[in-house]
Amino acid sequence: MKDKPVKRSCLAIACSPRKGGNTEILARRALDGAAAAGASTEIIILRDFCCAPCKACDGCFKNGRCVVKDDAVQIFDKILAADGIILAAPIFSMGICAQAKMFIDRSQQFWACKYVLDKPVVEDEERRRGRLGVFLSVSGAGLPGVFEGAARVVKYFFKMLDINDAGAHCYSKVDKKGEILERPDAMAGVYEAGIKLATFFE
Ligand SMILES: Cc1cc2nc3c(=O)[nH]c(=O)nc-3n(C[C@H](O)[C@H](O)[C@H](O)COP(=O)(O)O)c2cc1C
């Protein structure tokens, strides 16, 4: 049996188009928790990357690799290398924001790997077991069930990526830019979630 990893790596993907917005703040706070618990951390600000949508060409069915060679390729590599993944995305029009959904659709190569080519996305079984993901979200209003659709999409994303779902941290009535900073429950909750991502084996 291999030694347990001494240092886990945590990657956050912040999907909001709003610079310095609420979900980006939550993602950074979760990474603070992960870093404090000893993980290496990185944040991807999705709006800074140029990723085309999935063309539904089924090209990835051949070898599990997307035929479109743009910035998504480097994000895919980082996702595969990470032990802990944070997907941070707000609710827009009653669902996960389009930027997040577009990227999740674009990750179809992993679905092809698992379900067409019948191969694990992460080959090493021990690494696979240790991969953990959390979803962070906010909504401006407080409608019941507003996060349900988005959380379902992210569960699907994690499953496709051989990531064990470690739950969702979703906060309603957070609308103005930076308003999440006035919610100590949220800031503490995601910090704890970051610690959990970093210390899964301990
Ligand atoms: C285009 C757009 C659509 C939105 N749709 C909803 C919605 O359907 N329900 C809701 O509660 N909030 C909605 N909001 C509010 C956002 O969820 C809220 O402003 C949130 O704090 C944004 O997070 P961010 O700062 O991380 O981008 C919408 C905001 C925008 C810009």
Side-chain angles (χ1 to χ4, degrees), residues 55-186:
K55 300 197 292 181
C57 66
D58 295 351
C60 59
F61 286 16
K62 291 193 193 84
N63 60 4
R65 303 297 288 178
C66 184
V67 299
V68 180
K69 302 302 177 199
D70 62 10
D71 289 353
V73 176
Q74 53 176 300
I75 302 178
F76 293 157
D77 288 345
K78 288 177 191 291
I79 290 173
L80 286 174
D83 301 305
I85 305 274
I86 295 158
L87 196 292
I91 297 299
F92 284 1
S93 309
M94 295 305 289
I96 199 162
C97 69
Q99 292 78 2
K101 184 61 165 59
M102 194 281 277
F103 183 75
I104 290 169
D105 292 351
R106 178 63 196 282
S107 305
Q108 178 77 342
Q109 66 168 50
F110 299 112
W111 184 92
C113 184
K114 271 182 94 117
Y115 299 110
V116 178
L117 304 173
D118 205 22
K119 290 197 301 197
V121 168
V122 173
E123 293 208 350
D124 184 281
E125 194 186 335
E126 195 173 356
R127 271 210 66 231
R128 199 163 63 233
R129 275 193 287 119
R131 270 157 72 82
L132 224 54
V134 294
F135 173 45
L136 310 181
S137 192
V138 301
S139 69
L143 279 180
V146 70
F147 296 108
E148 279 173 14
R152 194 167 190 182
V153 168
V154 176
K155 268 182 190 289
Y156 167 89
F157 180 58
F158 287 161
K159 186 171 183 211
M160 174 166 80
L161 281 161
D162 284 341
I163 294 169
N164 301 295
D165 187 3
H169 295 257
C170 301
Y171 304 94
S172 284
K173 299 184 182 170
V174 180
D175 203 7
K176 290 198 293 287
K177 183 173 169 176
E179 201 176 345
I180 196 71
L181 291 165
E182 295 158 26
R183 291 283 298 270
D185 58 323

